[in-house]
């Protein structure tokens, strides 16, 4: 299965959330790989703590591969052996493969979608689908040629299942923008339909993920004044109404990730050790990733709206 | 001088095995040419040989810039309606002249790449075991494409019973005192260095394809057993995870089935050490024993706790 991760704006936590989902999915015993298609700023290497490709690879990365620059196969990084983080460097018993395909250091966005580039993209998806249970593709933020390319590629791979995750923060602007990215002019649905997808079928394959969510009843808010808490509660109610008006509401939401200080200060994988031993991460955050990692392949969570 | 090749092997992207007639249709890459099929001891279908023209740098352990021009011979095959291979090889020969010839010259020698200039056979062979340089001869890329053509056939449903990586086996054959060395590199990469008496025949390529096929079977079975985590998960769960091996792999082991009698000694030597068949047999026994143990446990449970 192919999963495309996209967000309306930058800074939504798309990359850190999608990498954590992939990591949890591997821990659940599946073979997974992560494709850094955010060619403008390939940072997945840093999140997986693989120093050698922290800002993309200097070898043949995805960017070179897609543009046909002398790379029959893009560079692969086995996270379980190449991560600099000791806790990640041993594959836990029962875990599946965890492979990163980094972008190029200094690659830059795709200038256009050429037929040859598209053909290579289709070939890559097809080969990876043969090998991995889950292929997560970080498509970067907003409308881009990269998003158009993967929309076209999936038209050419009718029997390979795919799904889209749209990441957004829980604020007024982000809710409106996330809806716009999907249903707005030249959004995912418009572009997808133009390339040959069925609009309704495509709609059913898109779900929203809320990031950095602060629940009004969260433990962190105990110290707040009553006035502040009442204000937060009112805001949250308003956002819920806004979200459901924009069809970004609960029914089309796959999950939400609570606000966690560790993710605000450093984009990284949250391991069980971070939760249980060093206690720098919240258990709710790890649980939310774990839950999402199950839901992305659970058909019940993806039934028609 | 020497022959180099690369075989890629993978699981056919279809829910079940495909019948002989579908194998024929899937492999009909070149219209007008026939797909060859043999039925005993296992159904094996192979596409017509296709040529790819190359004019590029050749591998070299000493990093010398050696240029070669000619054609590479490739084919796709399906074994048991379940395992697919893309295979390419080419004979490297010294060119009669120092000048690049027109394509008609090379097309008259299918499957031969002529080296322009000086070259040492050993340097080429040693260089070939390493990853090809970006502008160098990459037989693996050609073989992968021949495998892709099969996997993307509209006749396949793409719902393979399990996910599994392709393996690649890079081989070099030279003339001399008979010997064979099989080396496992990374999870997917293998090399074979083979020395044969007398002239090279395509039977050597058949042998390497047969080795690649069986190495892939062994690798796939090991992966399935690892995923089942025998002893680490409840019995029924492990049994479910082992089932694809029984359904799709265990009956495919036919070492040396298509290998010329003259070359079967090579298979026998690899079967003595490292002992492919020995390892396969022990894994097969393990899978069957697990299923038997699970069945017994299930029966005991059904009869209400058994020895109460």
């Amino acid at each position: 299965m192919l999963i495309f991760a996209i967000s309306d704006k930058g800074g939504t936590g798309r990359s850190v959330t999608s990498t954590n989902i992939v990591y949890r999915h591997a821990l659940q015993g599946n073979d997974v790989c992560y494709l850094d298609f955010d060619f403008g700023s390939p940072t997945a290497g840093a999140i997986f703590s693989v120093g050698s490709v922290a800002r993309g690879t200097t070898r043949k990365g995805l960017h070179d591969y897609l543009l046909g620059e002398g790379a029959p196969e893009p560079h692969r990084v086995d996270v379980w052996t190449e991560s600099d983080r000791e806790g990640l460097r041993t594959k836990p018993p029962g875990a599946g493969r965890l492979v990163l395909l980094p972008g190029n250091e200094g690659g830059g966005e795709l200038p256009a979608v050429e037929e040859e580039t598209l053909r290579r993209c289709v070939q890559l998806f097809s080969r990876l689908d043969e090998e991995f249970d889950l292929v997560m593709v970080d498509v970067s933020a907003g409308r881009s040629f990269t998003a158009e390319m993967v929309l076209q590629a999936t038209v050419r791979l009718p029997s390979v299942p795919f799904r889209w995750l749209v990441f957004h923060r829980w604020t007024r602007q982000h809710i409106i923008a996330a809806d716009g990215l999907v249903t707005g002019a030249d959004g995912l649905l418009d572009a997808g339909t133009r390339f040959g997808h069925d609009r309704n079928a495509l709609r059913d394959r898109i779900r929203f993920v809320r990031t950095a969510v602060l629940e009004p009843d969260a433990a962190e808010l105990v110290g707040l004044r009553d006035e502040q808490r009442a204000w937060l509660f009112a805001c949250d109610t308003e956002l819920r109404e806004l979200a459901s008006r924009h069809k970004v509401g609960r029914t089309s939401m796959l999950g939400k990730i609570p606000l966690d200080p560790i993710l605000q200060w450093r984009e990284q994988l949250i391991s069980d050790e971070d939760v249980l031993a060093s206690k720098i991460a919240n258990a709710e955050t790890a649980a939310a990733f774990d839950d999402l990692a199950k839901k992305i392949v659970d058909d019940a969570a993806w039934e028609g709206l | 001088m020497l022959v180099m090749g690369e075989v890629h092997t993978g699981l056919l992207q279809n829910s079940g095995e495909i019948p002989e007639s579908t194998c024929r249709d899937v492999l009909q890459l070149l219209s007008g040419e026939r797909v060859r099929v043999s039925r005993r001891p296992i159904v094996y279908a192979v596409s017509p040989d296709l040529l790819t023209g190359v004019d590029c740098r050749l591998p070299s352990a000493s990093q010398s810039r050696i240029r070669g021009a000619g054609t590479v011979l490739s084919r796709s095959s399906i074994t048991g309606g379940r395992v697919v291979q893309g295979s390419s090889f080419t004979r490297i020969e010294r060119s009669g002249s120092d000048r690049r010839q027109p394509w008609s010259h090379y097309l008259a020698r299918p499957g031969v790449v002529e080296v322009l200039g000086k070259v040492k056979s050993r340097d080429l062979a040693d260089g070939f075991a390493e990853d090809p340089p970006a502008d160098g001869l990459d037989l693996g890329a050609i073989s992968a494409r021949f495998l892709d053509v099969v996997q993307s056939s509209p006749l396949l449903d793409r719902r393979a019973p399990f996910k599994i990586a392709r393996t690649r086996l890079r081989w070099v054959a030279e003339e001399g005192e008979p010997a064979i060395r099989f080396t496992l590199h990374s999870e997917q990469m293998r090399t074979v260095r083979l020395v044969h008496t007398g002239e090279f025949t395509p039977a050597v390529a058949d042998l390497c394809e047969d080795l690649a096929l069986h190495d892939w079977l062994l690798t796939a079975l090991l992966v399935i057993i690892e995923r089942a985590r025998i002893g680490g998960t409840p019995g029924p769960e492990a049994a479910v995870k082992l089932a694809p091996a029984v359904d799709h792999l265990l009956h495919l082991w036919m070492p040396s089935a298509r290998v010329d009698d003259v070359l079967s000694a090579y298979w026998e030597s690899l079967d003595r050490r490292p002992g492919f068949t020995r390892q396969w047999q022990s894994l097969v026994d393990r899978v069957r024993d697990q299923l038997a143990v699970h069945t017994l446990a299930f029966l005991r449970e059904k009869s209400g706790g058994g020895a109460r």
Side-chain angles (χ1 to χ4, degrees):
Chain A
M1 169 154 343
L2 305 169
I3 308 277
F4 301 107
I6 196 168
S7 58
D8 47 305
K9 296 162 169 244
T12 47
R14 179 196 66 250
S15 300
V16 75
T17 310
S18 54
T19 44
N20 268 289
I21 293 174
V22 154
Y23 166 65
R24 291 282 153 184
H25 205 66
L27 290 181
Q28 288 162 8
N30 304 289
D31 286 355
V32 300
C33 74
Y34 189 91
L35 274 57
D36 196 350
F37 269 27
D38 189 356
F39 300 118
S41 62
T43 51
I47 305 178
F48 284 110
S49 307
V50 184
S52 55
V53 295
R55 279 172 301 278
T57 177
T58 48
R59 288 158 64 179
K60 297 294 173 191
L62 285 171
H63 189 265
D64 278 350
Y65 168 81
L66 288 171
L67 295 179
E69 288 170 7
E73 293 272 357
H75 180 196
R76 286 182 177 207
V77 175
D78 176 13
V79 176
W80 295 133
T81 56
E82 294 179 50
S83 178
D84 304 323
R85 245 178 98 182
E86 212 164 308
L88 291 179
R89 228 176 18 242
T90 5
K91 182 168 133 178
R97 297 168 65 203
L98 179 55
V99 174
L100 162 68
L101 276 69
N104 283 88
E105 196 171 319
E109 292 293 337
L110 289 185
V113 185
E114 307 281 348
E115 171 60 28
E116 179 60 18
T117 307
L118 178 58
R119 199 190 57 74
R120 284 169 169 272
C121 181
V122 169
Q123 175 182 281
L124 178 70
F125 287 168
S126 174
R127 284 182 185 171
L128 292 174
D129 175 63
E130 204 177 308
E131 191 174 340
F132 293 96
D133 297 299
L134 188 93
V135 180
M136 175 76 81
V137 186
D138 184 351
V139 184
S140 83
R143 296 160 174 81
S144 63
F145 284 121
T146 312
E148 290 196 4
M149 175 180 68
V150 301
L151 278 168
Q152 292 182 68
T154 44
V155 171
R156 296 197 190 179
L157 291 164
S159 32
V160 176
F162 71 89
R163 285 163 179 175
W164 283 81
L165 295 180
V166 179
F167 294 86
H168 68 89
R169 299 187 63 142
W170 193 228
T171 70
R172 197 179 166 79
Q173 277 73 22
H174 274 89
I175 290 169
I176 296 171
D179 174 42
L181 178 66
V182 176
T183 60
D186 217 24
L188 287 180
L189 292 178
D190 270 8
T193 314
R194 179 151 48 86
F195 297 130
H197 282 289
D198 176 89
R199 196 177 178 93
N200 291 327
L202 185 59
R203 185 77 191 79
D204 281 345
R205 292 173 183 238
I206 301 175
R207 289 291 186 279
F208 295 91
V209 176
R210 297 176 194 169
T211 57
V213 177
L214 192 57
E215 300 285 358
D217 53 354
E220 288 89 337
L221 300 184
V222 168
L224 290 188
R225 285 188 294 278
D226 285 348
E227 292 83 348
Q228 288 174 314
R229 222 169 320 163
W231 181 82
L232 265 180
F233 193 79
C235 264
D236 193 57
T237 313
E238 200 181 304
L239 288 175
R240 276 172 213 273
E241 279 164 16
L242 179 76
S244 71
R245 261 206 313 283
H246 281 276
K247 301 200 170 56
V248 184
R250 273 201 17 209
T251 43
S252 57
M253 179 190 77
L254 194 67
K256 50 183 167 184
I257 308 298
L259 182 79
D260 194 314
I262 189 174
L263 296 180
Q264 301 302 309
W265 285 320
R266 187 166 71 192
E267 299 190 304
Q268 66 161 60
L269 294 185
I270 294 191
S271 68
D272 289 343
E273 197 192 57
D274 296 329
V275 175
L276 302 171
S278 65
K279 296 191 179 164
I280 52 172
N282 294 328
E284 293 80 17
T285 315
F289 288 140
D290 209 49
D291 179 52
L292 265 175
K294 287 183 186 130
K295 273 190 185 157
I296 44 171
V297 293
D298 177 10
D299 292 338
W302 290 84
E303 273 163 12
L305 297 175
Chain B
M1 200 156 67
L2 79 159
V3 184
M4 39 182 79
E6 187 161 329
V7 191
H8 287 207
T9 310
L11 180 70
L12 190 76
Q13 293 301 295
N14 199 59
S15 45
E17 63 186 46
I18 57 171
E20 187 195 314
S21 56
T22 313
C23 288
R24 282 182 192 278
D25 295 338
V26 169
L27 291 174
Q28 198 74 46
L29 312 174
L30 239 195
S31 56
E33 294 240 19
R34 280 173 62 86
V35 171
R36 286 181 293 128
V37 176
S38 67
R39 298 191 180 84
R40 299 280 184 272
I42 189 165
V43 177
Y44 167 81
V46 59
S47 77
D49 285 344
L50 288 178
L51 293 179
T52 305
V54 294
D55 179 352
C56 57
R57 210 177 141 180
L58 294 181
S60 155
S62 63
Q63 308 286 324
S64 322
R65 295 198 78 87
I66 308 167
R67 183 179 169 194
T71 55
V72 173
L73 215 60
S74 306
R75 58 197 180 202
S76 314
S77 64
I78 301 173
T79 305
R82 187 73 272 184
V83 186
V84 54
Q85 292 187 297
S87 167
S88 306
F89 66 94
T90 189
R91 306 165 66 149
I92 309 289
E93 290 181 0
R94 284 194 181 83
S95 174
S97 95
D98 276 350
R99 307 237 317 262
R100 165 75 157 75
Q101 304 293 315
W103 278 113
S104 57
H105 169 85
Y106 300 113
L107 281 171
R109 292 162 186 75
V112 173
V113 164
E114 295 186 352
V115 182
L116 300 162
K118 284 203 188 84
V119 63
K120 285 200 190 79
S121 175
R122 170 52 51 91
D123 187 42
L124 274 176
D126 288 349
F128 188 64
E130 292 157 23
D131 280 330
D135 53 348
L137 176 65
D138 190 346
L139 295 180
I142 302 176
S143 295
R145 232 174 47 220
F146 272 76
L147 213 147
D148 287 339
V149 171
V150 174
Q151 301 288 45
S152 60
S153 163
L155 299 170
L156 305 179
D157 64 21
R158 273 211 81 100
R159 290 204 301 271
F162 52 93
K163 303 281 179 181
I164 192 90
R166 299 175 181 182
T167 55
R168 26 179 89 180
L169 181 142
R170 209 172 274 167
W171 58 271
V172 181
E174 294 168 274
E175 280 175 43
E177 207 47 41
I180 189 164
R181 196 169 77 227
F182 179 95
T183 315
L184 284 174
H185 295 266
S186 64
E187 269 175 87
Q188 280 94 40
M189 187 71 210
R190 293 92 175 80
T191 52
V192 167
R193 294 288 289 263
L194 187 147
V195 187
H196 56 87
T197 47
E199 279 272 289
F200 171 83
T201 67
V204 173
D206 291 342
L207 168 71
C208 293
E209 286 168 16
D210 201 49
L211 283 175
L213 174 77
H214 289 88
D215 169 68
W216 179 85
L217 283 171
L218 202 47
T219 309
L221 189 54
L222 279 163
V223 167
I224 290 178
I225 290 175
E226 193 196 324
R227 282 179 189 161
R229 294 187 68 206
I230 297 168
T233 48
E237 220 171 281
V240 167
K241 293 212 166 138
L242 289 173
V246 180
D247 292 342
H248 303 282
L249 298 181
L250 297 195
H251 58 288
L252 298 175
W253 191 262
M254 299 279 174
S256 217
R258 291 178 298 104
V259 174
D260 196 298
D261 282 346
V262 183
L263 298 171
S264 57
Y266 291 101
W267 236 120
E268 283 156 21
S269 101
L270 288 175
D271 244 354
R272 271 195 304 278
R273 190 169 304 174
F276 282 94
T277 302
R278 216 166 353 148
Q279 188 175 9
W280 174 262
Q281 200 49 53
S282 99
L283 293 174
V284 170
D285 290 347
R286 188 155 186 223
V287 169
R288 295 206 168 125
D289 288 348
Q290 275 301 313
L291 295 180
V293 167
H294 170 64
T295 311
L296 282 175
F298 178 71
L299 288 174
R300 202 161 46 225
E301 214 171 89
K302 269 203 103 177
S303 64
R308 229 187 316 181

Coordinates of all heavy atoms in Angstrom, one line a residue, chain A residues 75-100:
Chain A
H75 N 19.3 5.5 -3.7 CA 20.1 5.1 -2.5 C 19.1 4.7 -1.4 O 18.1 5.4 -1.2 CB 20.9 6.4 -2.0 CG 21.7 6.1 -0.8 ND1 22.2 7.2 -0.1 CD2 22.0 5.0 -0.2 CE1 22.9 6.7 1.0 NE2 22.8 5.4 0.9
R76 N 19.4 3.6 -0.7 CA 18.5 3.1 0.4 C 19.3 3.1 1.7 O 20.5 2.8 1.7 CB 18.1 1.7 0.1 CG 17.1 1.5 -0.9 CD 16.8 0.0 -1.0 NE 15.7 -0.3 -2.0 CZ 14.9 -1.3 -2.0 NH1 15.1 -2.2 -1.0 NH2 14.0 -1.5 -2.9
V77 N 18.6 3.5 2.7 CA 19.2 3.5 4.0 C 18.5 2.6 5.0 O 17.2 2.7 5.1 CB 19.2 4.9 4.6 CG1 19.8 4.9 6.1 CG2 20.0 5.9 3.8
D78 N 19.1 1.6 5.5 CA 18.5 0.7 6.5 C 18.6 1.3 7.8 O 19.6 1.4 8.4 CB 19.2 -0.7 6.4 CG 18.6 -1.6 7.5 OD1 17.5 -1.3 8.0 OD2 19.2 -2.7 7.8
V79 N 17.4 1.8 8.3 CA 17.5 2.6 9.6 C 17.9 1.8 10.7 O 18.7 2.2 11.6 CB 16.1 3.2 9.9 CG1 16.1 4.0 11.2 CG2 15.7 4.2 8.7
W80 N 17.5 0.5 10.8 CA 17.9 -0.3 11.9 C 19.4 -0.5 12.0 O 19.9 -0.9 13.1 CB 17.3 -1.7 11.8 CG 15.8 -1.8 11.9 CD1 14.9 -2.5 11.1 CD2 14.9 -1.2 12.9 NE1 13.6 -2.3 11.5 CE2 13.6 -1.5 12.6 CE3 15.1 -0.3 14.0 CZ2 12.5 -1.1 13.3 CZ3 14.0 0.1 14.7 CH2 12.7 -0.3 14.4
T81 N 20.2 -0.4 10.9 CA 21.6 -0.5 11.0 C 22.3 0.8 10.9 O 23.4 0.9 11.5 CB 22.2 -1.5 10.0 OG1 21.8 -1.0 8.7 CG2 21.7 -2.9 10.1
E82 N 21.7 1.8 10.3 CA 22.5 3.0 10.0 C 22.2 4.2 10.9 O 22.8 5.3 10.8 CB 22.4 3.4 8.5 CG 23.1 2.4 7.6 CD 23.0 2.7 6.2 OE1 23.3 3.9 5.8 OE2 22.6 1.9 5.4
S83 N 21.2 4.1 11.8 CA 20.8 5.2 12.6 C 21.9 5.5 13.6 O 22.5 4.5 14.1 CB 19.5 4.9 13.3 OG 19.1 6.0 14.1
D84 N 22.1 6.8 14.0 CA 23.1 7.1 15.0 C 22.5 6.9 16.4 O 23.3 7.0 17.4 CB 23.5 8.6 14.8 CG 24.0 8.8 13.4 OD1 24.7 7.9 12.9 OD2 23.8 9.9 12.9
R85 N 21.2 6.8 16.5 CA 20.6 6.7 17.8 C 20.7 5.2 18.3 O 20.2 4.3 17.6 CB 19.1 7.0 17.8 CG 18.8 8.3 18.6 CD 17.3 8.6 18.4 NE 16.5 8.1 19.5 CZ 15.2 8.3 19.6 NH1 14.6 8.9 18.6 NH2 14.6 7.8 20.6
E86 N 21.3 5.0 19.4 CA 21.6 3.7 19.9 C 20.3 2.8 20.0 O 20.2 1.7 19.6 CB 22.3 3.7 21.2 CG 23.2 2.5 21.4 CD 24.2 2.8 22.5 OE1 24.9 3.8 22.5 OE2 24.3 1.9 23.4
G87 N 19.2 3.5 20.5 CA 18.0 2.8 20.7 C 17.3 2.3 19.4 O 16.4 1.5 19.4
L88 N 17.7 2.9 18.3 CA 17.1 2.5 17.0 C 18.0 1.5 16.2 O 17.6 0.9 15.3 CB 17.0 3.8 16.1 CG 15.9 4.8 16.5 CD1 16.0 5.9 15.5 CD2 14.6 4.2 16.5
R89 N 19.3 1.4 16.7 CA 20.2 0.6 15.9 C 20.0 -0.9 16.0 O 20.7 -1.6 15.2 CB 21.6 1.0 16.2 CG 22.3 1.3 14.9 CD 23.7 1.8 15.0 NE 24.4 1.7 16.3 CZ 24.8 2.7 17.0 NH1 24.6 4.0 16.6 NH2 25.4 2.5 18.1
T90 N 19.2 -1.4 16.9 CA 19.0 -2.8 16.9 C 17.5 -3.0 16.5 O 16.6 -2.3 17.1 CB 19.2 -3.4 18.3 OG1 19.4 -2.4 19.2 CG2 20.2 -4.5 18.3
K91 N 17.3 -3.9 15.6 CA 15.9 -4.2 15.2 C 15.2 -5.0 16.3 O 15.7 -6.1 16.7 CB 15.9 -5.0 13.9 CG 14.6 -5.3 13.3 CD 14.7 -5.8 11.9 CE 13.9 -7.1 11.8 NZ 13.9 -7.6 10.4
P92 N 14.2 -4.5 16.9 CA 13.5 -5.2 18.0 C 12.9 -6.5 17.5 O 12.5 -6.6 16.3 CB 12.4 -4.2 18.4 CG 12.7 -2.9 17.8 CD 13.5 -3.2 16.6
P93 N 12.8 -7.5 18.3 CA 12.3 -8.8 17.8 C 10.9 -8.6 17.3 O 10.1 -7.9 17.9 CB 12.3 -9.7 19.1 CG 12.6 -8.8 20.2 CD 13.3 -7.6 19.7
G94 N 10.6 -9.2 16.2 CA 9.3 -9.1 15.6 C 9.0 -7.9 14.7 O 8.0 -7.8 14.1
A95 N 10.0 -6.9 14.8 CA 9.8 -5.8 13.9 C 10.1 -6.1 12.5 O 10.9 -7.0 12.2 CB 10.6 -4.6 14.4
G96 N 9.5 -5.3 11.6 CA 9.8 -5.5 10.2 C 10.9 -4.6 9.7 O 11.6 -3.9 10.5
R97 N 11.2 -4.6 8.4 CA 12.3 -3.8 7.9 C 11.9 -2.3 7.9 O 10.7 -2.0 7.8 CB 12.6 -4.1 6.4 CG 13.1 -5.6 6.3 CD 13.1 -6.0 4.8 NE 14.1 -5.2 4.1 CZ 14.0 -5.1 2.7 NH1 13.0 -5.7 2.1 NH2 14.9 -4.4 2.1
L98 N 12.8 -1.4 8.1 CA 12.6 0.0 8.2 C 13.6 0.7 7.3 O 14.8 0.8 7.6 CB 12.6 0.5 9.6 CG 12.4 2.0 9.9 CD1 11.1 2.5 9.3 CD2 12.5 2.3 11.4
V99 N 13.2 1.1 6.1 CA 14.1 1.6 5.1 C 13.7 3.0 4.7 O 12.6 3.3 4.4 CB 14.1 0.6 3.8 CG1 15.0 1.2 2.7 CG2 14.5 -0.8 4.2
L100 N 14.8 3.8 4.6 CA 14.6 5.2 4.2 C 15.2 5.4 2.8 O 16.3 5.0 2.5 CB 15.2 6.2 5.2 CG 15.5 7.6 4.7 CD1 14.2 8.4 4.6 CD2 16.4 8.3 5.7

